[in-house]
Amino acid sequence: MKILCEVQVLNRTTQANRTPRAVKSTLAIGYKQSARDSNGNTKKELEMVLFTPQVKAGTRYKVRDNIHCVHTKFVLDGKATIGFKQPAENLLIKCDPIQLKGFLQTLKLGMEGKDAINLRLNIANTTAIPQKAQPQLRMTINKRSEYPVKGFPRTLKSLTINNIQLMKLSFEICTLRNLTTLDVSGNKLVKIPTELGRLPLTSLHLSGNALGELNDWCWLRGSKLSQSLCELDLSANGLSYFPPPLVRFESLVTLNLNHNKLRHLPFAIRRLQKLRSLHVSSNKLESLPAAIEDLHIDLLDVWGNCFKGFNVEAAQTQVQRTAATHTPTPLWLQAARVVSAHKLPYSTSTLPAILIELISEAPKCLCGKLCYALESRDLLKRVTQPKFTNIKNLTYSREHQIYSDVIICGPNCCAYPQLKALFNILIS
Ligand SMILES: [Zn+2]
């Protein structure tokens, strides 16, 4: 008789576990026919064999006069212990209770020297019960030689390919429908296939590649990826600007853009309302958009950037220009402003996509009004110091004050006189 079970082997003399935990095993019991002795009789020797993944050939235990103990108190819970005298080992068995009970009854019959149908197993040649192959869920490749020649298992949920000078992400990877985590850090990728955008990944690590070389962001327009992705690492890719489609990744919680060459972050970053960790250390940021304060960030790392002081000249000319412009506000912008100001609910079925985009991405003035069709003259660079009242963990270089860029909606803005007064004080 053979059963599929989990067995932990304990040596009673040393108290050492031969297997640190229970491992999937096959336990077999049966008679071994020995050669005829000098009288011409064959002797039947009762044996138990334990097959484990470590000992595939099986460990053989004599049964007759060799049982030290059999604990069956928890057999209904599917647990039992069989102890042998030689070697002094206890087998701690976990198994389906009915099968275990049958196995222990067979052992009892065998010990009593009875013949039972369950004992008619040629124990000399028996092998382990083949276990159903578990679907492979994870794969890690750290050497080129480990790259699978025959393709990837379709069942993969997590795939890691690090530091193997990979030049191209294969189309096949983009078709692994079960994949949720992909880590291809430390390679030589300059482009990601558009098809990757169709995978519902939750975690994507692209650190240490060269995606800033081509700046091909088509893959970020994939509808599935933009809905599902929670964690994105684009650090050390030579990025000179923030990839524009990234502001639509509304599920993002962690975004790592460390060690790039970013000069600004877009105002539209305010769309990332789930973002909690933003890493932009070691870039070339001169300022942050005021929109950062509208997010709910717990951790902001802006260490090692080029934050410059208050931009007096730019502020002065911009204030003058803002005062000089006076164009009527188009109706659609007024409509969008009302929806935004009153936080009215909207969806793709109630509003045109272009207005949704405007409401969720357009910069907001200090007064809270949506602005649109902005030219550089409306952007007041490096004029206020953000308060960051929500951020629990802020990392920045002490020698630099952080400045933020603000938008002013026009000379009639309620915040305008205040701002102008501030400039006058600073300028004079
Ligand atoms: Zn305003």
Side-chain angles (χ1 to χ4, degrees):
M1 182 186 193
K2 290 199 269 193
I3 53 168
L4 203 57
C5 51
E6 285 184 20
V7 176
Q8 186 175 12
V9 182
L10 180 82
N11 188 308
R12 288 195 308 277
T13 326
T14 61
Q15 286 296 313
N17 294 339
R18 196 150 63 74
T19 47
R21 61 193 156 80
V23 290
K24 285 224 164 65
S25 314
T26 297
L27 206 52
I29 185 165
Y31 285 111
K32 187 171 139 190
Q33 304 279 349
S34 63
R36 285 170 193 273
D37 62 13
S38 51
N39 301 328
N41 301 319
T42 53
K43 274 203 322 194
K44 290 199 294 181
E45 180 82 71
L46 193 61
E47 269 193 353
M48 202 181 290
V49 190
L50 172 69
F51 299 95
T52 62
Q54 287 76 28
V55 189
K56 292 203 171 73
T59 311
R60 292 176 178 268
Y61 299 93
K62 267 177 63 181
V63 173
R64 182 133 315 145
D65 303 325
N66 193 35
I67 297 291
H68 174 260
C69 59
V70 180
H71 299 303
T72 57
K73 195 175 171 188
F74 298 106
V75 69
L76 293 177
D77 297 329
K79 288 181 194 167
T81 300
I82 301 173
F84 297 96
K85 291 178 185 164
Q86 280 303 324
E89 286 180 349
N90 282 5
L91 309 187
L92 283 54
I93 308 163
K94 272 197 252 173
C95 178
D96 168 70
I98 294 169
Q99 285 218 39
L100 186 58
K101 218 172 156 187
F103 189 84
L104 292 169
Q105 275 168 354
T106 308
L107 172 66
K108 193 165 170 246
L109 291 172
M111 285 166 72
E112 290 165 357
K114 291 177 182 158
D115 192 19
I117 201 156
N118 281 344
L119 288 167
R120 287 178 200 159
L121 167 78
N122 188 353
I123 198 81
N125 306 332
T126 194
T127 53
I129 300 171
Q131 291 179 25
K132 265 188 215 151
Q134 294 284 325
Q136 190 176 353
L137 303 179
R138 298 172 168 277
M139 185 181 270
T140 302
I141 298 164
N142 290 313
K143 289 183 208 138
R144 279 191 92 86
S145 57
E146 292 168 351
Y147 202 91
V149 187
K150 290 180 186 168
F152 295 93
R154 310 294 304 157
T155 47
L156 283 187
K157 285 188 170 216
S158 163
L159 177 59
T160 303
I161 307 174
N162 290 158
N163 308 312
I164 65 156
Q165 318 255 320
L166 196 70
M167 307 281 285
K168 197 174 166 235
L169 202 60
S170 79
F171 176 74
E172 194 208 344
I173 291 174
C174 305
T175 62
L176 297 172
R177 294 276 155 215
N178 296 308
L179 211 58
T180 56
T181 301
L182 179 62
D183 181 348
V184 283
S185 305
N187 285 293
K188 297 198 159 179
L189 303 173
V190 292
K191 190 181 154 128
I192 300 294
T194 314
E195 290 79 11
L196 194 80
R198 295 186 206 141
L199 284 188
L201 298 177
T202 54
S203 177
L204 178 58
H205 295 262
L206 296 164
S207 170
N209 282 286
L211 299 176
E213 255 177 50
L214 291 183
N215 279 305
D216 181 339
W217 303 112
C218 288
W219 60 281
L220 288 178
R221 298 202 165 87
S223 56
K224 284 237 172 90
L225 189 66
S226 62
Q227 296 295 310
S228 62
L229 202 64
C230 301
E231 189 182 3
L232 177 62
D233 187 348
L234 277 170
S235 59
N237 266 281
L239 303 185
S240 51
Y241 63 87
F242 186 95
L246 210 51
V247 298
R248 314 239 165 113
F249 279 56
E250 289 173 289
S251 300
L252 266 190
V253 177
T254 302
L255 178 58
N256 190 334
L257 295 164
N258 289 344
H259 302 284
N260 280 298
K261 298 182 276 185
L262 304 181
R263 294 189 172 275
H264 351 254
L265 297 177
F267 270 80
I269 200 166
R270 72 178 175 86
R271 195 161 179 176
L272 301 180
Q273 285 293 318
K274 287 200 178 145
L275 198 64
R276 296 294 176 269
S277 299
L278 178 59
H279 304 261
V280 275
S281 73
S282 304
N283 276 280
K284 296 185 173 177
L285 297 175
E286 294 181 4
S287 56
L288 292 175
I292 291 276
E293 292 213 77
D294 296 338
L295 294 174
H296 310 281
I297 293 182
D298 294 331
L299 192 161
L300 176 65
D301 185 357
V302 290
W303 192 87
N305 278 286
C306 318
F307 292 110
K308 290 185 181 160
F310 181 76
N311 191 340
V312 175
E313 202 182 327
Q316 196 173 23
T317 48
Q318 281 160 350
V319 165
Q320 285 161 359
R321 279 190 201 166
T322 311
T325 49
H326 191 80
T327 45
T329 312
L331 199 57
W332 52 265
L333 182 54
Q334 292 190 38
R337 279 176 174 171
V338 170
V339 173
S340 168
H342 295 277
K343 295 192 168 71
L344 301 178
Y346 59 87
S347 70
T348 43
S349 57
T350 53
L351 280 188
I354 186 84
L355 274 193
I356 292 182
E357 201 176 294
L358 175 69
I359 293 164
S360 48
E361 291 181 20
K364 279 184 177 175
C365 169
L366 275 185
C367 68
K369 222 182 249 181
L370 281 176
C371 299
Y372 188 69
L374 288 157
E375 291 166 30
S376 57
R377 61 170 190 224
D378 300 313
L379 183 65
L380 304 186
K381 285 183 178 168
R382 312 198 306 264
V383 296
T384 62
Q385 288 178 8
K387 297 181 200 78
F388 293 138
T389 42
N390 297 327
I391 297 174
K392 291 181 196 133
N393 201 336
L394 175 68
T395 310
Y396 67 104
S397 322
R398 295 274 165 195
E399 67 273 25
H400 296 301
Q401 291 279 10
I402 303 175
Y403 282 88
S404 69
D405 300 332
V406 299
I407 297 284
I408 196 95
C409 62
N412 298 327
C413 173
C414 57
Y416 181 68
Q418 218 182 317
L419 202 62
K420 206 176 158 200
L422 177 71
F423 297 153
N424 288 334
I425 295 165
L426 286 164
I427 291 162
S428 58

